Short mmCIF file of all heavy atoms in Angstrom, two decimals:
data_model
loop_
_atom_site.label_atom_id
_atom_site.label_comp_id
_atom_site.label_asym_id
_atom_site.label_seq_id
_atom_site.Cartn_x
_atom_site.Cartn_y
_atom_site.Cartn_z
N PRO A 29 -88.37 196.23 83.54
CA PRO A 29 -87.28 196.62 82.65
C PRO A 29 -87.80 196.49 81.15
O PRO A 29 -87.30 197.25 80.28
CB PRO A 29 -86.16 195.63 82.95
CG PRO A 29 -86.45 195.20 84.39
CD PRO A 29 -87.89 195.23 84.53
N TRP A 30 -88.64 195.52 80.85
CA TRP A 30 -89.07 195.36 79.42
C TRP A 30 -89.77 196.59 78.88
O TRP A 30 -89.88 196.91 77.72
CB TRP A 30 -89.95 194.14 79.34
CG TRP A 30 -91.24 194.19 80.16
CD1 TRP A 30 -91.43 193.63 81.35
CD2 TRP A 30 -92.47 194.76 79.76
NE1 TRP A 30 -92.75 193.83 81.73
CE2 TRP A 30 -93.36 194.61 80.83
CE3 TRP A 30 -92.91 195.53 78.67
CZ2 TRP A 30 -94.66 195.08 80.85
CZ3 TRP A 30 -94.16 196.02 78.64
CH2 TRP A 30 -95.02 195.78 79.69
N PHE A 31 -90.45 197.36 79.85
CA PHE A 31 -91.20 198.60 79.50
C PHE A 31 -90.15 199.55 78.80
O PHE A 31 -90.50 200.17 77.74
CB PHE A 31 -91.83 199.21 80.61
CG PHE A 31 -92.51 200.52 80.30
CD1 PHE A 31 -93.86 200.64 79.73
CD2 PHE A 31 -91.84 201.75 80.63
CE1 PHE A 31 -94.39 201.77 79.41
CE2 PHE A 31 -92.43 202.98 80.32
CZ PHE A 31 -93.78 202.96 79.69
N TRP A 32 -89.06 199.71 79.32
CA TRP A 32 -88.04 200.67 78.80
C TRP A 32 -87.55 200.15 77.50
O TRP A 32 -87.28 201.02 76.58
CB TRP A 32 -86.83 200.93 79.66
CG TRP A 32 -87.30 201.37 81.09
CD1 TRP A 32 -87.36 200.61 82.26
CD2 TRP A 32 -87.77 202.66 81.41
NE1 TRP A 32 -87.77 201.43 83.29
CE2 TRP A 32 -88.09 202.67 82.73
CE3 TRP A 32 -87.98 203.87 80.65
CZ2 TRP A 32 -88.57 203.79 83.44
CZ3 TRP A 32 -88.45 204.92 81.36
CH2 TRP A 32 -88.75 204.98 82.71
N ILE A 33 -87.35 198.86 77.40
CA ILE A 33 -86.91 198.32 76.02
C ILE A 33 -87.98 198.62 74.94
O ILE A 33 -87.61 198.99 73.82
CB ILE A 33 -86.71 196.85 76.10
CG1 ILE A 33 -85.59 196.49 77.11
CG2 ILE A 33 -86.32 196.18 74.81
CD1 ILE A 33 -85.38 195.07 77.39
N VAL A 34 -89.24 198.42 75.33
CA VAL A 34 -90.27 198.72 74.35
C VAL A 34 -90.26 200.20 73.98
O VAL A 34 -90.48 200.57 72.76
CB VAL A 34 -91.65 198.30 74.90
CG1 VAL A 34 -92.83 198.85 74.07
CG2 VAL A 34 -91.73 196.79 75.11
N ILE A 35 -90.12 201.08 74.90
CA ILE A 35 -90.18 202.55 74.64
C ILE A 35 -89.06 202.88 73.71
O ILE A 35 -89.32 203.65 72.74
CB ILE A 35 -90.03 203.36 75.99
CG1 ILE A 35 -91.30 203.27 76.81
CG2 ILE A 35 -89.68 204.76 75.72
CD1 ILE A 35 -92.51 203.89 76.18
N PHE A 36 -87.89 202.33 73.72
CA PHE A 36 -86.81 202.79 72.91
C PHE A 36 -86.73 201.91 71.65
O PHE A 36 -86.15 202.45 70.70
CB PHE A 36 -85.42 202.57 73.71
CG PHE A 36 -85.15 203.57 74.65
CD1 PHE A 36 -85.44 203.39 76.03
CD2 PHE A 36 -84.66 204.86 74.28
CE1 PHE A 36 -85.20 204.50 76.96
CE2 PHE A 36 -84.43 205.88 75.24
CZ PHE A 36 -84.63 205.64 76.58
N ALA A 37 -87.40 200.73 71.62
CA ALA A 37 -87.30 199.92 70.38
C ALA A 37 -88.51 200.14 69.42
O ALA A 37 -88.27 200.09 68.21
CB ALA A 37 -87.24 198.51 70.84
N VAL A 38 -89.69 200.39 69.96
CA VAL A 38 -90.92 200.42 69.14
C VAL A 38 -90.88 201.62 68.22
O VAL A 38 -91.15 201.39 66.97
CB VAL A 38 -92.09 200.38 69.99
CG1 VAL A 38 -93.36 200.77 69.17
CG2 VAL A 38 -92.26 199.01 70.65
N PRO A 39 -90.57 202.83 68.63
CA PRO A 39 -90.60 204.01 67.71
C PRO A 39 -89.74 203.89 66.43
O PRO A 39 -90.19 204.07 65.34
CB PRO A 39 -90.14 205.17 68.48
CG PRO A 39 -90.55 204.83 69.95
CD PRO A 39 -90.28 203.34 69.97
N PRO A 40 -88.54 203.34 66.55
CA PRO A 40 -87.77 203.17 65.34
C PRO A 40 -88.36 202.08 64.40
O PRO A 40 -88.35 202.21 63.13
CB PRO A 40 -86.41 202.71 65.79
CG PRO A 40 -86.25 203.18 67.15
CD PRO A 40 -87.65 203.10 67.65
N LEU A 41 -88.91 201.02 65.01
CA LEU A 41 -89.55 200.05 64.16
C LEU A 41 -90.72 200.54 63.42
O LEU A 41 -91.04 200.28 62.27
CB LEU A 41 -89.92 198.80 64.99
CG LEU A 41 -88.83 198.04 65.66
CD1 LEU A 41 -89.30 196.91 66.54
CD2 LEU A 41 -87.98 197.47 64.49
N LEU A 42 -91.56 201.29 64.13
CA LEU A 42 -92.77 201.96 63.55
C LEU A 42 -92.35 202.89 62.43
O LEU A 42 -93.02 202.97 61.43
CB LEU A 42 -93.62 202.68 64.61
CG LEU A 42 -94.32 201.75 65.60
CD1 LEU A 42 -95.07 202.59 66.66
CD2 LEU A 42 -95.27 200.80 64.92
N ALA A 43 -91.41 203.66 62.67
CA ALA A 43 -90.91 204.62 61.68
C ALA A 43 -90.38 203.83 60.44
O ALA A 43 -90.73 204.24 59.23
CB ALA A 43 -89.79 205.51 62.23
N GLY A 44 -89.69 202.74 60.62
CA GLY A 44 -89.25 201.94 59.50
C GLY A 44 -90.40 201.37 58.63
O GLY A 44 -90.43 201.37 57.42
N VAL A 45 -91.44 200.85 59.41
CA VAL A 45 -92.67 200.35 58.71
C VAL A 45 -93.32 201.41 57.92
O VAL A 45 -93.72 201.20 56.78
CB VAL A 45 -93.51 199.68 59.69
CG1 VAL A 45 -94.78 199.27 59.09
CG2 VAL A 45 -92.91 198.43 60.34
N VAL A 46 -93.49 202.64 58.54
CA VAL A 46 -94.14 203.69 57.79
C VAL A 46 -93.29 204.11 56.53
O VAL A 46 -93.95 204.27 55.43
CB VAL A 46 -94.34 204.89 58.77
CG1 VAL A 46 -94.80 206.19 57.99
CG2 VAL A 46 -95.33 204.55 59.85
N ARG A 47 -92.01 204.13 56.67
CA ARG A 47 -91.19 204.59 55.49
C ARG A 47 -91.27 203.53 54.39
O ARG A 47 -91.36 203.85 53.36
CB ARG A 47 -89.75 204.76 55.89
CG ARG A 47 -89.59 206.10 56.62
CD ARG A 47 -87.96 206.45 56.73
NE ARG A 47 -87.30 205.43 57.52
CZ ARG A 47 -87.06 205.53 58.77
NH1 ARG A 47 -87.56 206.55 59.50
NH2 ARG A 47 -86.38 204.64 59.45
N ALA A 48 -91.28 202.27 54.75
CA ALA A 48 -91.35 201.14 53.85
C ALA A 48 -92.69 201.25 53.10
O ALA A 48 -92.76 201.01 51.92
CB ALA A 48 -91.13 199.86 54.47
N ARG A 49 -93.74 201.43 53.85
CA ARG A 49 -95.03 201.48 53.23
C ARG A 49 -95.20 202.67 52.31
O ARG A 49 -95.77 202.58 51.20
CB ARG A 49 -96.15 201.63 54.29
CG ARG A 49 -97.55 201.52 53.75
CD ARG A 49 -98.58 201.41 54.92
NE ARG A 49 -99.92 201.31 54.46
CZ ARG A 49 -100.95 201.23 55.25
NH1 ARG A 49 -100.81 201.36 56.53
NH2 ARG A 49 -102.18 201.27 54.77
N ALA A 50 -94.60 203.88 52.72
CA ALA A 50 -94.62 205.05 51.89
C ALA A 50 -93.91 204.72 50.55
O ALA A 50 -94.34 205.09 49.43
CB ALA A 50 -94.03 206.26 52.63
N ARG A 51 -92.69 204.03 50.56
CA ARG A 51 -91.96 203.80 49.35
C ARG A 51 -92.81 202.80 48.50
O ARG A 51 -92.68 203.03 47.28
CB ARG A 51 -90.60 203.20 49.78
CG ARG A 51 -89.56 204.23 50.28
CD ARG A 51 -88.21 203.64 50.30
NE ARG A 51 -88.08 202.49 51.22
CZ ARG A 51 -87.67 202.54 52.50
NH1 ARG A 51 -87.39 203.79 52.96
NH2 ARG A 51 -87.63 201.50 53.32
N ARG A 52 -93.39 201.84 49.10
CA ARG A 52 -94.23 200.92 48.29
C ARG A 52 -95.34 201.63 47.54
O ARG A 52 -95.63 201.37 46.44
CB ARG A 52 -94.70 199.83 49.15
CG ARG A 52 -95.47 198.69 48.41
CD ARG A 52 -95.66 197.40 49.30
NE ARG A 52 -96.36 197.74 50.53
CZ ARG A 52 -95.80 197.76 51.63
NH1 ARG A 52 -94.49 197.50 51.77
NH2 ARG A 52 -96.54 197.96 52.70
N VAL A 53 -96.01 202.56 48.25
CA VAL A 53 -97.06 203.31 47.64
C VAL A 53 -96.59 204.13 46.53
O VAL A 53 -97.19 204.25 45.45
CB VAL A 53 -97.82 204.13 48.70
CG1 VAL A 53 -98.80 205.13 48.03
CG2 VAL A 53 -98.53 203.27 49.69
N ARG A 54 -95.40 204.81 46.75
CA ARG A 54 -94.86 205.67 45.65
C ARG A 54 -94.48 204.83 44.47
O ARG A 54 -94.59 205.20 43.30
CB ARG A 54 -93.68 206.36 46.19
CG ARG A 54 -93.98 207.59 47.16
CD ARG A 54 -92.84 208.49 47.35
NE ARG A 54 -91.70 207.82 47.89
CZ ARG A 54 -91.50 207.81 49.29
NH1 ARG A 54 -92.36 208.43 50.07
NH2 ARG A 54 -90.45 207.23 49.74
N THR A 55 -93.96 203.59 44.68
CA THR A 55 -93.55 202.70 43.58
C THR A 55 -94.78 202.25 42.72
O THR A 55 -94.75 202.32 41.53
CB THR A 55 -92.82 201.46 44.12
OG1 THR A 55 -91.72 201.94 44.91
CG2 THR A 55 -92.44 200.55 43.01
N VAL A 56 -95.87 201.95 43.44
CA VAL A 56 -97.08 201.49 42.72
C VAL A 56 -97.62 202.72 41.94
O VAL A 56 -98.01 202.53 40.75
CB VAL A 56 -98.09 200.99 43.75
CG1 VAL A 56 -99.44 200.74 43.02
CG2 VAL A 56 -97.58 199.69 44.39
N GLU A 57 -97.52 203.85 42.54
CA GLU A 57 -98.08 205.05 41.81
C GLU A 57 -97.16 205.40 40.58
O GLU A 57 -97.74 205.73 39.48
CB GLU A 57 -98.14 206.26 42.67
CG GLU A 57 -99.18 206.12 43.83
CD GLU A 57 -99.19 207.41 44.77
OE1 GLU A 57 -98.22 208.22 44.59
OE2 GLU A 57 -100.12 207.43 45.54
N GLY A 58 -95.88 205.14 40.74
CA GLY A 58 -94.99 205.37 39.61
C GLY A 58 -95.19 204.37 38.55
O GLY A 58 -95.15 204.80 37.29
N ARG A 59 -95.47 203.18 38.71
CA ARG A 59 -95.75 202.20 37.78
C ARG A 59 -97.02 202.38 37.11
O ARG A 59 -97.19 202.26 35.83
CB ARG A 59 -95.63 200.76 38.36
CG ARG A 59 -94.28 200.31 38.83
CD ARG A 59 -94.27 198.94 39.45
NE ARG A 59 -93.04 198.61 39.89
CZ ARG A 59 -92.85 197.45 40.60
NH1 ARG A 59 -93.80 196.68 40.90
NH2 ARG A 59 -91.49 197.16 40.97
N SER A 60 -98.01 202.75 37.79
CA SER A 60 -99.38 202.94 37.20
C SER A 60 -99.45 204.20 36.37
O SER A 60 -100.23 204.37 35.42
CB SER A 60 -100.50 203.02 38.27
OG SER A 60 -100.25 204.04 39.11
N ARG A 61 -98.62 205.23 36.79
CA ARG A 61 -98.64 206.50 36.15
C ARG A 61 -100.04 207.11 36.02
O ARG A 61 -100.40 207.79 35.02
CB ARG A 61 -98.08 206.44 34.67
CG ARG A 61 -96.57 205.98 34.73
CD ARG A 61 -96.01 205.92 33.32
NE ARG A 61 -94.59 205.47 33.30
CZ ARG A 61 -93.52 206.31 33.66
NH1 ARG A 61 -93.71 207.56 33.95
NH2 ARG A 61 -92.31 205.67 33.58
N VAL A 62 -100.87 206.84 37.03
CA VAL A 62 -102.18 207.33 37.07
C VAL A 62 -102.30 208.17 38.34
O VAL A 62 -102.03 207.68 39.37
CB VAL A 62 -103.23 206.23 37.05
CG1 VAL A 62 -104.66 206.79 37.21
CG2 VAL A 62 -103.05 205.42 35.78
N THR A 63 -102.70 209.34 38.20
CA THR A 63 -102.90 210.26 39.34
C THR A 63 -104.31 210.33 39.55
O THR A 63 -105.18 210.89 38.75
CB THR A 63 -102.32 211.67 39.05
OG1 THR A 63 -100.99 211.48 38.76
CG2 THR A 63 -102.40 212.47 40.25
N THR A 64 -104.80 209.86 40.72
CA THR A 64 -106.18 209.93 41.08
C THR A 64 -106.37 210.65 42.30
O THR A 64 -105.55 210.65 43.28
CB THR A 64 -106.74 208.49 41.23
OG1 THR A 64 -105.99 207.87 42.33
CG2 THR A 64 -106.63 207.62 39.99
N GLN A 65 -107.47 211.45 42.44
CA GLN A 65 -107.80 212.19 43.52
C GLN A 65 -109.07 211.60 44.10
O GLN A 65 -110.01 211.27 43.47
CB GLN A 65 -108.04 213.66 43.18
CG GLN A 65 -106.89 214.33 42.66
CD GLN A 65 -105.77 214.56 43.72
OE1 GLN A 65 -106.05 214.59 44.87
NE2 GLN A 65 -104.56 214.64 43.28
N PRO A 66 -109.15 211.37 45.50
CA PRO A 66 -110.39 210.90 46.04
C PRO A 66 -111.52 211.73 45.81
O PRO A 66 -111.44 212.98 45.89
CB PRO A 66 -109.98 210.83 47.55
CG PRO A 66 -108.82 211.79 47.77
CD PRO A 66 -108.11 211.75 46.51
N SER A 67 -112.59 211.15 45.50
CA SER A 67 -113.77 211.93 45.18
C SER A 67 -114.40 212.48 46.45
O SER A 67 -113.92 212.21 47.58
CB SER A 67 -114.85 211.07 44.50
OG SER A 67 -115.27 210.03 45.46
N ALA A 68 -115.35 213.43 46.39
CA ALA A 68 -115.92 213.97 47.54
C ALA A 68 -116.67 212.97 48.38
O ALA A 68 -116.62 213.02 49.65
CB ALA A 68 -116.97 215.06 47.09
N LEU A 69 -117.31 211.95 47.71
CA LEU A 69 -117.98 210.90 48.46
C LEU A 69 -117.06 210.09 49.21
O LEU A 69 -117.32 209.60 50.33
CB LEU A 69 -118.85 210.06 47.44
CG LEU A 69 -119.99 210.76 46.84
CD1 LEU A 69 -120.75 209.81 45.87
CD2 LEU A 69 -121.02 211.18 47.99
N ALA A 70 -115.86 209.85 48.62
CA ALA A 70 -114.84 209.07 49.34
C ALA A 70 -114.30 209.65 50.61
O ALA A 70 -114.16 209.12 51.66
CB ALA A 70 -113.67 208.66 48.33
N ARG A 71 -114.10 211.01 50.47
CA ARG A 71 -113.62 211.74 51.63
C ARG A 71 -114.70 211.71 52.77
O ARG A 71 -114.41 211.63 53.93
CB ARG A 71 -113.34 213.17 51.27
CG ARG A 71 -112.12 213.33 50.41
CD ARG A 71 -111.58 214.75 50.35
NE ARG A 71 -112.55 215.62 49.77
CZ ARG A 71 -112.56 215.91 48.42
NH1 ARG A 71 -111.62 215.37 47.59
NH2 ARG A 71 -113.47 216.69 47.92
N LEU A 72 -116.03 211.89 52.37
CA LEU A 72 -117.03 211.89 53.31
C LEU A 72 -117.17 210.47 54.07
O LEU A 72 -117.33 210.27 55.26
CB LEU A 72 -118.41 212.20 52.72
CG LEU A 72 -118.53 213.68 52.24
CD1 LEU A 72 -119.89 213.78 51.48
CD2 LEU A 72 -118.48 214.58 53.44
N ASP A 73 -117.02 209.37 53.19
CA ASP A 73 -117.06 208.06 53.69
C ASP A 73 -115.91 207.81 54.71
O ASP A 73 -116.08 207.23 55.75
CB ASP A 73 -117.01 207.00 52.59
CG ASP A 73 -117.38 205.66 53.07
OD1 ASP A 73 -118.01 205.56 54.17
OD2 ASP A 73 -117.11 204.71 52.32
N ASP A 74 -114.69 208.25 54.41
CA ASP A 74 -113.61 208.13 55.32
C ASP A 74 -113.80 208.87 56.54
O ASP A 74 -113.40 208.36 57.65
CB ASP A 74 -112.25 208.49 54.58
CG ASP A 74 -111.85 207.57 53.40
OD1 ASP A 74 -112.44 206.48 53.39
OD2 ASP A 74 -111.12 208.03 52.53
N GLU A 75 -114.30 210.12 56.44
CA GLU A 75 -114.47 210.90 57.62
C GLU A 75 -115.52 210.28 58.61
O GLU A 75 -115.31 210.17 59.87
CB GLU A 75 -114.95 212.28 57.24
CG GLU A 75 -115.10 213.25 58.49
CD GLU A 75 -115.58 214.63 58.04
OE1 GLU A 75 -115.70 214.84 56.77
OE2 GLU A 75 -115.79 215.49 58.85
N MET A 76 -116.56 209.75 58.05
CA MET A 76 -117.58 209.09 58.90
C MET A 76 -117.12 207.80 59.52
O MET A 76 -117.41 207.39 60.63
CB MET A 76 -118.86 208.85 58.06
CG MET A 76 -120.05 208.45 58.93
SD MET A 76 -121.56 208.55 57.91
CE MET A 76 -122.77 208.37 59.29
#
């Protein structure tokens, strides 16, 4: 039975965590008022 509880409870919790993190990132970006784009090397490093 606990498997079904996990299936129905985990997705809303994950969605809430993602939304909270996105709001926190937007707040930090608004305060810094700095718009930065990842460099080409940064994108290559993340891909690897």
Side-chain angles (χ1 to χ4, degrees):
W30 60 263
F31 175 81
W32 303 107
I33 298 176
V34 171
I35 287 294
F36 284 97
V38 168
L41 294 177
L42 291 179
V45 171
V46 171
R47 285 195 297 268
R49 186 174 180 180
R51 284 195 296 268
R52 185 165 58 251
V53 170
R54 286 196 298 269
T55 301
V56 172
E57 290 179 351
R59 289 176 181 175
S60 63
R61 297 182 182 278
V62 176
T63 304
T64 59
Q65 296 294 334
S67 65
L69 292 176
R71 288 195 298 270
L72 292 176
D73 193 17
D74 292 340
E75 183 179 359
M76 192 166 189

